[in-house]
Amino acid sequence: MAMAMAMRRAAALGARHILGASSSSGILRSRHMSVDAGAALERIRAAGLLRTQGLIGGKWVDAYDGKTLEVENPATGEILANVSCMGSRETSDAIASAHTTFYSWSKLTASERSKALRKWYDLIISNKEELALLMTLEQGKPMKEALGEVNYGASFIEYFAEEAKRIYGDIIPPTLSDRRLLVLKQPVGVVGAIAPWNFPLAMITRKVGPALACGCTVVVKPSEFTPLTALAAADLALQAGIPAGALNVVMGNAPEIGDALLQSTQVRKITFTGSTAVGKKLMAGSADTVKKVSLELGGNAPCIVFDDADIDVAIKGSLAAKFRNSGQTCVCANRILVQEGIYEKFASAFIKAVQSLQVGNGLEESTSQGPLINEAAVQKVEKFIKDATSKGAHIMLGGKRHSLGMTFYEPTVVGNVSNDMLLFREEAFGPVAPLVPFKTEEDAIHMANDTNAGLAAYIFTKSIPRSWRVSEALEYGLVGVNEGLISTEVAPFGGVKQSGLGREGSKYGVDEYLELKYICMGNLN
């Protein structure tokens, strides 16, 4: 969390000004897009979705000391809004509200909770264009990707609205005839949900959906870089009938908010998506109060292209896995391992495909890659590139800041990458594709597993036996075979090793918010 604050301080960019109201002409009509950010913001405001205050106990409130923080458009450096900068006192009140509401929300029938969640889903879908515009403005991703995230994020609310009615207990055959042994599944209690900036809607709904479905209540801390999408989604939750206090949102001073969540005995679970370093701190901080913890942390995803792969399928899948959201995803293909027999052919075709990526403002219809989130992110990419070239790697495409300026970076392909380089060892979290040759299947598996991370991996091959062998040998929680986009609400998402604990999405994601209670009933004869 302290790291996030440091990144924000490092992200001061150029001249800034408040976006003013503008004519609504040229704003998104169906799927037509405009670069008129001012008009886009005005449309969001007209829809009632531009919220700048925190949400505590069903009320929109300012920070108690009046402090605010600026939310910036990474594509332009313009200030979109000033939002409440909250800390420990506001978080404590949000926890208290969630704790009080827990006793009524958890007592509702599963059907009643399901109906409220379904209404929330319907409202997200009916406002998906405004939410996508807001996401593009504060996060930078292209509108097409933002619309995709809104649909993806909403799918978790829909799925868990349905799953709420399928939280079954169990009856165990007794060891004595006069006993009955029951197992109940009950909500864990108040949940502290800490979400990242790269998917400002989906990483919240993937946590809040199952929590509310189970009967838990939630205090959400969105990233200080992208709070507007979270606040808009929370507003729609209130409209849907999610009761006051069931969903609270506080943002601002990350260390204070985090400490308040960790220290509270009323918060019974922490769920976090973000860096491994911060995840370790949250895990350690949860020990004093013995909270349940689920962590979706950093990755170092290998993308293995075997010499029997369909080159066209491998190029398409690798491109999607690597450059989606400008490479700012935890399941991003961080190392593209290519078998020697097709290395040159693949590299040539891959570079040609990367050259077709259009960099620009996400509001432009032609844009396929937006800016990085801030200046610190660009500097990290530059550091990785400098380290790689100093150790013998060569730039095959790109390798520098884009002529658009700001935090735009050229789609980059780097060849001759080895395992002593930062590009191989750590997440670049940017639009940089390292190509690494390998000889044998065993070599590829060893290289892929040579990391502390274990979130996602990808393989491309026409061989069914190989796909089974390699999938089972890879030390990762997610494996895509001949596919670069594998996330879905119906499948478990999560990693092994230092990529985290627990799973999100699917029926398995519900268990993260439940406690088992065993009841022994005696003297029944």
Side-chain angles (χ1 to χ4, degrees):
M1 291 172 287
M3 183 185 302
M5 295 299 287
M7 286 180 69
R8 180 163 192 84
R9 288 192 292 270
L13 304 172
R16 302 172 173 181
H17 62 278
I18 300 295
L19 290 173
S22 176
S23 168
S24 62
S25 62
I27 286 295
L28 181 69
R29 294 286 183 258
S30 182
R31 290 187 178 271
H32 176 71
M33 290 155 241
S34 165
V35 295
D36 191 344
L41 200 64
E42 191 60 30
R43 173 175 174 174
I44 295 162
R45 184 181 289 111
L49 294 177
L50 188 63
R51 291 289 184 178
T52 60
Q53 298 169 295
L55 179 62
I56 300 176
K59 297 180 180 179
W60 298 101
V61 297
D62 293 320
Y64 296 163
D65 60 6
K67 289 183 179 179
T68 61
L69 59 86
E70 296 173 340
V71 180
E72 211 173 77
N73 182 340
T76 64
E78 296 168 317
I79 303 304
L80 298 170
N82 290 283
V83 302
S84 301
C85 183
M86 297 175 154
S88 58
R89 287 195 299 147
E90 295 89 345
T91 306
S92 295
D93 285 350
I95 293 169
S97 174
H99 185 253
T100 299
T101 306
F102 171 73
Y103 292 100
S104 56
W105 176 249
S106 63
K107 294 299 186 294
L108 294 179
T109 65
S111 178
E112 289 172 311
R113 293 196 298 270
S114 175
K115 289 175 182 177
L117 285 169
R118 179 69 200 197
K119 288 180 182 178
W120 189 17
Y121 163 79
D122 291 337
L123 285 171
I124 291 174
I125 293 300
S126 64
N127 289 274
K128 66 180 180 180
E129 291 185 348
E130 289 79 10
L131 289 170
L133 280 169
L134 186 55
M135 190 184 306
T136 293
L137 287 173
E138 69 171 346
Q139 200 275 338
K141 66 180 60 180
M143 269 296 298
K144 183 179 179 180
E145 288 190 21
L147 283 165
E149 183 181 338
V150 174
N151 287 323
Y152 176 57
S155 72
F156 288 102
I157 303 302
E158 180 184 38
Y159 180 86
F160 288 110
E162 298 162 351
E163 203 65 16
K165 295 178 285 186
R166 303 185 185 100
I167 300 174
Y168 304 134
D170 207 354
I171 298 177
I172 301 173
T175 55
L176 298 173
S177 62
D178 67 341
R179 294 184 181 180
R180 297 297 181 269
L181 312 181
L182 312 177
V183 177
L184 301 181
K185 291 184 178 180
Q186 296 183 309
V188 65
V190 177
V191 174
I194 304 173
W197 50 263
N198 55 343
F199 290 92
L201 178 67
M203 296 304 96
I204 289 175
T205 57
R206 200 161 75 180
K207 302 174 188 304
V208 174
L212 292 178
C214 291
C216 298
T217 52
V218 191
V219 177
V220 173
K221 184 232 168 271
S223 168
E224 62 270 26
F225 301 134
T226 56
L228 300 178
T229 302
L231 294 171
D235 192 358
L236 294 175
L238 285 180
Q239 294 180 38
I242 304 296
L247 175 59
N248 305 271
V249 183
V250 291
M251 64 277 172
N253 189 318
E256 283 195 16
I257 294 171
D259 287 345
L261 292 171
L262 292 174
Q263 292 166 10
S264 172
T265 56
Q266 294 179 334
V267 176
R268 297 306 312 138
K269 176 181 173 62
I270 294 291
T271 173
F272 169 74
T273 296
S275 73
T276 299
V278 174
K280 289 179 178 180
K281 293 179 181 178
L282 292 172
M283 189 174 180
S286 296
D288 285 345
T289 51
V290 196
K291 301 184 195 303
K292 290 190 71 169
V293 177
S294 56
L295 305 170
E296 194 261 283
L297 308 178
N300 188 6
C303 179
I304 307 172
V305 183
F306 289 100
D307 55 11
D308 63 351
D310 182 313
I311 292 292
D312 291 338
V313 171
I315 293 295
K316 180 181 178 182
S318 300
L319 197 72
K322 172 66 255 184
F323 290 98
R324 182 169 61 110
N325 200 21
S326 301
Q328 299 174 118
T329 81
C330 51
V331 294
C332 174
N334 204 55
R335 301 164 291 157
I336 301 179
L337 313 179
V338 187
Q339 200 156 15
E340 287 181 344
I342 61 166
Y343 181 85
E344 296 298 334
K345 181 179 180 181
F346 177 89
S348 177
F350 186 70
I351 289 170
K352 184 177 180 180
V354 175
Q355 286 174 324
S356 69
L357 297 176
Q358 183 67 42
V359 180
N361 189 312
L363 293 177
E364 296 176 346
E365 190 170 14
S366 60
T367 295
S368 53
Q369 180 185 304
L372 298 185
I373 188 65
N374 56 28
E375 176 64 19
V378 179
Q379 290 179 7
K380 180 181 179 181
V381 171
E382 290 178 326
K383 174 185 174 182
F384 279 37
I385 292 292
K386 182 178 180 181
D387 171 80
T389 54
S390 71
K391 295 175 181 176
H394 61 273
I395 305 299
M396 305 174 78
L397 180 70
K400 61 183 185 298
R401 292 176 185 249
H402 198 277
S403 59
L404 289 171
M406 300 302 299
T407 58
F408 291 96
Y409 197 88
E410 293 180 346
T412 298
V413 181
V414 183
N416 200 34
V417 173
S418 57
N419 64 2
D420 63 336
M421 299 174 186
L422 289 174
L423 279 176
F424 189 98
R425 309 303 312 178
E426 302 178 21
E427 281 185 300
F429 233 62
V432 180
L435 301 186
V436 186
F438 70 89
K439 291 182 179 181
T440 68
E441 181 180 304
E442 291 73 21
D443 290 338
I445 292 170
H446 173 75
M447 294 166 71
N449 289 338
D450 185 20
T451 174
N452 289 327
L455 187 54
Y458 309 90
I459 64 174
F460 291 88
T461 177
K462 291 179 181 177
S463 168
I464 293 177
R466 170 176 273 168
S467 69
W468 277 109
R469 284 195 309 271
V470 178
S471 293
E472 292 177 1
L474 290 171
E475 298 170 350
Y476 291 84
L478 315 165
V479 179
V481 180
N482 296 323
E483 180 57 64
L485 300 177
I486 60 176
S487 299
T488 169
E489 75 279 10
V490 301
F493 188 103
V496 299
K497 296 195 284 189
Q498 294 188 30
S499 283
L501 301 169
R503 295 296 183 266
E504 294 184 324
S506 81
K507 65 178 183 179
Y508 304 103
V510 174
D511 293 337
E512 301 290 334
Y513 299 89
L514 294 168
E515 296 280 19
L516 297 181
K517 177 179 285 184
Y518 159 57
I519 301 175
C520 176
M521 303 178 67
N523 296 306
L524 297 180
N525 286 344

